[in-house]
Amino acid sequence: MTINWQLLMPELIIILTFILVVIFDLFNSLQKTLTAWITIIGSAIALYVSIDMLQIGTEGTEFSNMIQVDKYSLFFNVIFLVSTILVVLISMNYLGRQDRRQGEYYLLILLATLGMMLMASGNELIVVFLGLELMSLSLYVLAGYFQRSMASSEAGMKYLLLGAFASGFFLYGIALIYGGAGTTSIPQIASALTVDARSPLLLSGMFLLVVGFGFKVALVPFHQWAPDVYEGAPTSIAAFISAGPKAAGFAAFLRIFMDALQTLQSEWIILITILAALTMTVGNLVAIAQRNIKRMLAYSSIAHAGYVLVGLAAANKDGISGAMFYLFVYCVMNIGAFGAVILARTEDGESLMISDYAGLGFKKPLLALFMTIMLLSLAGFPPTAGFVGKFYIFRSAVESGQIWLVIIGAINTAISAFYYLRVVVAMYMREPEAELDFLAYPRLLIVALTLAAIGVILIGILPSYFLSPAQISTFL
């Protein structure tokens, strides 16, 4: 069997980067930042290759059609790699104050990135599952990375136990679909469903896949792990979990349901619509009650998963492209928001209570500016990227006749503005309750936040440059 390795070049570059990080970590333990720079350079090269392959329209399958490289998977590669680069940039100074070697940290991030890429390009349910587990196992360790922190260890343990439970549902769902369709190949499942589309095995398997994916992307009612894990995990890892892995979960979710299970659309679209409405509403309403900013961003992340699910509920090409575009936007602005949380550090640690941000608009104007841009984008205010992303998703739902779902989404957008603006009001319109001695701005973190802020504004002003690649990358 001849393998076209050029099709797999982004994945191969990540694997090579992983090997280089292992080597340099073994023989150069004194220079902590070297492994980080190798990770950034390797991810940047893979990003360049992915964009080049996307532009020339590279497509093909490998390993007996188990891996499918197309514009869809390449677009998601761009999301994953941008997220990885931003997270590594915000991690370098964040970990620099921890007296430990960091090679394994970046190795796990690279493994998680490779798992995400496999999920997006998997043309077999088994390959999707392998990518899911490779990503998840890395994230379990990263969530509990600070071993001396009880909160971090607890986050890692909760994530592991609930994640393993959800993986069981997902694998059982694959088994039931195999029993009903006689194959785990996504194209062959689609062909098999034209013959017997209402098999109880297939319907049960479909439901279990929704449960498995629901956990990975934190849909209500499978979201209970997210607030505790986001709060306890290192903030840089909370940013990572909220971005790339969520996009990877949706990448597989969209492909499987809109390709393999399209014949069952009349069954799953009702379930997806209900989940979208519940996820948006519960996420936003509970976020209002939060006083810890990481927990607030966790519930915000849950709500945004509901917005993305609106694109799947639309069940059309514009819905898929809108969801892809929104995931890209979401990853940039959410990593930026967590980066701003890292920026608000004192000698005693991070400032996690919203009340700690009072008066920062004048005491730390750059920090307040970054936080304001990200929160306004998350709330969907024009001319930010968040507004454009919501607009295209809601428009696709209107075109598909999901008017009431769009109304619920619009109401939830208005609700979310309350808790996002509450932080902005605290920064610019309230006096601090106590004087906090914030640390100096780390340069690399400023670079990462500047890139994220430019991205959020640029996408909001010139959305067509970023939306067009998503529109031409759908598999429908």
Side-chain angles (χ1 to χ4, degrees):
M1 181 179 64
T2 303
I3 299 175
N4 183 3
W5 294 108
Q6 290 184 340
L7 281 176
L8 306 174
M9 192 57 65
E11 289 84 355
L12 292 175
I13 292 172
I14 293 298
I15 292 172
L16 178 60
T17 304
F18 177 86
I19 295 172
L20 289 175
V21 171
V22 170
I23 293 172
F24 279 92
D25 185 50
L26 286 174
F27 297 103
N28 191 16
S29 60
L30 296 178
Q31 184 60 35
K32 295 182 178 182
T33 59
L34 183 59
T35 52
W37 283 115
I38 294 172
T39 304
I40 291 174
I41 293 170
S43 300
I45 294 172
L47 175 62
Y48 174 80
V49 171
S50 296
I51 293 174
D52 184 61
M53 293 172 67
L54 178 60
Q55 289 177 337
I56 64 178
T58 303
E59 293 188 359
T61 59
E62 285 299 335
F63 301 108
S64 301
N65 296 325
M66 297 179 71
I67 299 291
Q68 178 169 336
V69 178
D70 53 12
K71 292 180 180 179
Y72 179 80
S73 63
L74 291 170
F75 184 88
F76 273 101
N77 281 357
V78 173
I79 297 177
F80 305 147
L81 293 167
V82 167
S83 300
T84 298
I85 292 170
L86 288 176
V87 167
V88 173
L89 280 173
I90 70 174
S91 297
M92 291 174 71
N93 292 113
Y94 183 71
L95 296 181
R97 300 184 180 278
Q98 305 295 329
D99 188 20
R100 60 185 300 130
R101 295 172 62 183
Q102 298 173 18
E104 58 268 28
Y105 178 90
Y106 299 111
L107 289 173
L108 289 167
I109 286 181
L110 287 169
L111 282 178
T113 303
L114 181 61
M116 298 175 211
M117 296 167 81
L118 286 176
M119 289 182 68
S121 59
N123 206 32
E124 266 265 355
L125 294 181
I126 299 300
V127 173
V128 172
F129 178 74
L130 291 176
L132 178 67
E133 288 307 293
L134 179 60
M135 176 190 76
S136 299
L137 290 173
S138 303
L139 295 177
Y140 300 153
V141 180
L142 286 170
Y145 186 74
F146 290 160
Q147 297 178 0
R148 296 181 180 179
S149 168
M150 289 296 294
S152 180
S153 299
E154 182 182 349
M157 183 59 67
K158 285 182 178 179
Y159 199 14
L160 169 62
L161 293 176
L162 292 175
F165 191 64
S167 295
F169 277 105
F170 188 81
L171 192 58
Y172 194 23
I174 292 176
L176 292 179
I177 287 178
Y178 177 75
T183 179
T184 55
S185 170
I186 290 176
Q188 292 177 20
I189 291 172
S191 300
L193 289 187
T194 60
V195 179
D196 184 14
R198 301 298 185 272
S199 165
L201 283 177
L202 289 170
L203 293 174
S204 300
M206 177 196 74
F207 177 77
L208 291 177
L209 288 185
V210 171
V211 174
F213 280 126
F215 173 85
K216 296 303 177 183
V217 301
L219 301 178
V220 174
F222 316 110
H223 66 288
Q224 292 90 343
W225 62 273
D228 292 337
V229 171
Y230 282 37
E231 182 182 13
T235 305
S236 56
I237 295 305
F240 190 49
I241 294 172
S242 72
K246 188 181 289 287
F250 273 113
F253 203 163
L254 295 172
R255 190 191 286 273
I256 291 172
F257 277 73
M258 287 299 296
D259 192 351
L261 303 178
Q262 190 171 18
T263 308
L264 299 177
Q265 181 175 313
S266 59
E267 280 79 14
W268 59 253
I269 198 169
I270 299 173
L271 178 61
I272 295 300
T273 302
I274 294 172
L275 288 177
L278 279 176
T279 303
M280 289 187 291
T281 305
V282 172
N284 283 315
L285 289 178
V286 181
I288 294 175
Q290 304 308 309
R291 296 295 177 263
N292 181 296
I293 196 163
K294 286 175 71 175
R295 291 187 71 87
M296 186 197 81
L297 289 174
Y299 282 105
S300 163
S301 176
I302 293 167
H304 282 277
Y307 297 136
V308 177
L309 208 60
V310 171
L312 179 56
N316 55 28
K317 184 174 182 178
D318 287 341
I320 301 303
S321 62
M324 293 166 64
F325 175 72
Y326 193 82
L327 284 167
F328 177 71
V329 167
Y330 167 77
C331 288
V332 174
M333 60 190 182
N334 215 52
I335 292 174
F338 277 102
V341 173
I342 295 176
L343 201 59
R345 299 187 78 187
T346 67
E347 290 291 346
D348 297 328
E350 293 168 313
S351 301
L352 298 179
M353 304 306 294
I354 294 176
S355 58
D356 293 338
Y357 290 77
L360 288 190
F362 304 99
K363 188 174 182 179
K364 287 286 186 177
L366 189 59
L367 186 161
L369 175 63
F370 285 135
M371 181 65 84
T372 300
I373 291 173
M374 300 307 161
L375 292 179
L376 290 179
S377 185
L378 286 166
F381 283 91
T384 62
F387 168 77
V388 179
K390 285 188 175 70
F391 172 79
Y392 283 111
I393 279 187
F394 290 161
R395 189 183 70 172
S396 68
V398 169
E399 291 173 351
S400 67
Q402 298 275 18
I403 306 296
W404 72 272
L405 187 58
V406 174
I407 293 173
I408 292 175
I411 293 172
N412 274 282
T413 300
I415 293 172
S416 70
F418 173 79
Y419 61 84
Y420 289 128
L421 291 179
R422 180 177 61 190
V423 181
V424 178
V425 169
M427 290 190 295
Y428 289 101
M429 300 182 184
R430 290 182 183 171
E431 293 294 328
E433 297 178 2
E435 289 296 327
L436 299 176
D437 188 16
F438 291 95
L439 300 176
Y441 292 142
R443 294 180 181 178
L444 292 175
L445 183 52
I446 293 296
V447 170
L449 289 173
T450 301
L451 291 174
I454 291 173
V456 164
I457 299 299
L458 191 61
I459 296 172
I461 297 174
L462 302 170
S464 61
Y465 288 96
F466 301 88
L467 180 64
S468 296
Q471 291 175 329
I472 65 174
S473 298
T474 58
F475 48 82
L476 295 181

